[in-house]
Structures are given as structure tokens and as C-alpha cells.
Amino acid sequence: MSVLDGPRREIRRILDGGTPQWVTVSADGAELVLANGRRVDEATATYMAPCDPTKIICIHLNYDSRRVEFRAPELTTPTYFQKPTTALNSHRGVLYRPADSHLMNYEGEVAAVVARPMRNVAPDDVWDYLAGFAPANDVGLHDFRETDAGSMLRVKGQDGYCPIGPGLVSGVDIRESTLRTYVNGSVVQHDPVTNMTFPINYIMADLCRHITFLPGDIVLTGTPANSRPMNIGDVVEVEVTGVGRLTNTVAEAPAPTHHVGHLPMDTDAIRRVAFGGDWWAQRDAEAAELAAASKQ
């Protein structure tokens, strides 16, 4: 059965009594149902990520709104990067910003999760190889933007910087969904999935020409415009219509003990990425003011 074919199906994973358990959701959403029939209160459940990936692959610019925000040329082929599996986090997990850093951005995304081994699969057949979809947040600490030769290893790969969940959903035509990100209840990102430059099945087929996907592997499919830094205490939510709503909170962690290697930086180039269109708007406004002043 294709991952797109209804009816809607959802599985979640929680930690119950010290043991990981796969659960379904009651009709009213108030309870999670274990395989043995026991029920737990959803509001107090401790979530785990709904998959065990061997790899997490992410696409760079993939919404035109994001490309326009960065004044980038139109794209003819996608490019990718990876997050370590230790970046995995879950619904209601905490996003820790080190005390010596300031520019930790949200990036709401749709995660596609693999169901069975995938290699050299045609785009039209990709949907038969996927287990489902989930909201995800491709968190990035841009204070490290000027290191790792563009791989973004320390920007995007820090522990806990890939929350996904609350569940894994199939039976929904993801092509009809809309992605929204909220910070403290206010919408900060909004874009239909149809506005992706490279559709999900294209991305998966492109990658699996050369890389074998295994069950549980995650592909993050891009973020729209308006990724911005988060503040300590913020509640950040990523919603994919028909799929679910991922919630995380931001907290501070101590800075690393040892000052080894590249340290956090705050430069004009870094802020151009972290603040996106806000940075460009500020620069344009300043340029306009200078031009007006020069004519006086």
C-alpha cells in the first residue's frame, strides 16, 4: 500500500515504565493505547522519536520563498547535508542552546521516513517505500556557520537538533499538506508543500540512486522563508496539516568546558543567514536612508 493511500494511520513511541512502547492514539486524542490494551494519558506521556534512523539527510534550499529571501538564483539541482543520529530528538523534547552562543534558529520541515530498503527507486515508486511523514525541526546553531567547510556539522548536527514527531503518519496525501511553524503561539513560517522546488519523491529518488536507504532513515525536505533565532524559554511548534504538531522548548545549557577548535562567532555573514529577510530589509532601509541623505 502506498504511504499516500487512506485511511489515515498513525503510530507513536513513548517511554513507559522505562521501556520503549509503540502506541496508537485514541479517537479523542486524550489517550495513547499500548499493544496490550493498556492506556496512558497523552498529556503526561514521555515521547521518543517515532523511528530509529541509520542516517538523517537534509536538503538545502527547497522552498522558493526561502530562495527568494536569500536572493539566490533559481535552482536546477538539489544539494544535501547530513545530521548525526545523535541529533535525534522528540515531541516535547528540549532544545539546548549553549551559553556561549546566541543564534539558534528554528526550521520547520516535513520529515519523510523510510519503510523498507530503497536503492535505485524511480520517483513514481517512492511512495511505496515510505513508512510515513512527521513534522520536524531542522535546528541550526549559526554561531558556527563559518566552520566545517559548508557541511554545517556543528551548525545542524549538535545533540538534540533534530526533533521529530509526535508520531509517524501514513494514509495522508502529503502533497496536499501545509507546513506552519509557531513560536509562542504565533505563526512564523507558512507554506504549502506544493511550493517545494524539488518534490519529496524526486528528492528520495535522487538520493537513492547512490545511497541505500534503510528502514527508519529520515530525509528532511526543506524549510520555507522566515527561519529566525529562538530565545531561551520559547515554545516552538511545527505543524504539518493532516500529520501532526511537534512541540519543543528552548533552554540554555552550559558552554563547553574546553576551548578547543573553532569557537562561536557573530559576524555580518552569519547574521545574514540567521536573520534572513530581516537582515536584507534592514540593509535595504539603511541604504535608502543614505541615498536620501546624499541628495539633500
Side-chain angles (χ1 to χ4, degrees):
M1 179 183 293
S2 166
V3 70
L4 305 178
D5 294 338
R8 184 184 185 276
R9 305 171 295 281
E10 180 177 8
I11 57 171
R12 300 183 183 184
R13 188 166 59 165
I14 64 170
L15 191 64
D16 180 69
T19 304
Q21 297 283 351
W22 289 101
V23 299
T24 56
V25 186
S26 64
D28 62 1
E31 295 179 310
L32 302 177
V33 185
L34 282 70
N36 64 6
R38 192 163 58 83
R39 293 172 176 248
V40 299
D41 183 8
E42 192 283 329
T44 61
T46 299
Y47 277 89
M48 301 178 67
C51 55
D52 288 308
T54 68
K55 62 186 78 71
I56 303 169
I57 300 181
C58 316
I59 191 171
H60 286 111
L61 297 177
N62 196 35
Y63 281 84
D64 202 54
S65 62
R66 183 78 163 153
R67 179 192 67 79
V68 170
E69 180 178 39
F70 284 115
R71 304 185 179 185
E74 292 190 8
L75 304 175
T76 57
T77 188
T79 59
Y80 307 96
F81 62 96
Q82 283 191 265
K83 286 178 177 272
T85 56
T86 46
L88 201 62
N89 202 338
S90 62
H91 180 50
R92 297 184 187 144
V94 179
L95 307 174
Y96 286 107
R97 192 185 76 188
D100 60 352
S101 300
H102 305 283
L103 303 175
M104 186 174 77
N105 280 42
Y106 57 79
E107 292 189 11
E109 308 207 8
V110 176
V113 179
V114 175
R116 56 195 178 102
M118 263 181 94
R119 178 65 198 269
N120 210 27
V121 174
D124 288 345
D125 298 327
V126 161
W127 309 116
D128 297 331
Y129 286 79
L130 298 184
F133 307 98
N137 192 341
D138 182 16
V139 179
L141 192 68
H142 290 292
D143 304 69
F144 287 91
R145 190 83 190 184
E146 294 188 359
T147 187
D148 295 329
S151 75
M152 296 197 290
L153 179 63
R154 278 171 278 195
V155 175
K156 296 294 189 74
Q158 300 202 24
D159 291 354
Y161 279 19
C162 185
I164 178 174
L168 186 60
V169 174
S170 57
V172 169
D173 192 340
I174 195 67
R175 298 168 297 187
E176 298 176 358
S177 294
T178 296
L179 172 67
R180 296 184 183 89
T181 304
Y182 303 78
V183 174
N184 302 325
S186 298
V187 176
V188 292
Q189 289 183 296
H190 176 282
D191 230 334
V193 168
T194 51
N195 283 348
M196 288 184 181
T197 303
F198 304 102
I200 292 172
N201 60 327
Y202 179 100
I203 296 168
M204 304 296 296
D206 178 27
L207 287 166
C208 81
R209 289 181 300 152
H210 310 290
I211 299 169
T212 299
F213 285 119
L214 299 175
D217 285 351
I218 298 171
V219 173
L220 300 188
T221 57
T223 197
N226 299 317
S227 164
R228 299 291 185 269
M230 299 176 282
N231 296 312
I232 302 302
D234 280 349
V235 176
V236 182
E237 299 170 285
V238 180
E239 178 185 58
V240 179
T241 56
V243 176
R245 190 157 168 163
L246 168 72
T247 302
N248 299 101
T249 56
V250 180
E252 187 173 81
T257 305
H258 304 290
H259 294 284
V260 179
H262 188 91
L263 298 178
M265 298 178 65
D266 186 348
T267 68
D268 200 49
I270 288 172
R271 285 183 167 265
R272 187 165 62 247
V273 176
F275 290 95
D278 291 342
W279 185 90
W280 289 109
Q282 181 182 4
R283 289 295 296 268
D284 288 349
E286 290 174 353
E289 289 178 5
L290 288 172
S294 67
K295 293 179 180 178
Q296 294 177 356

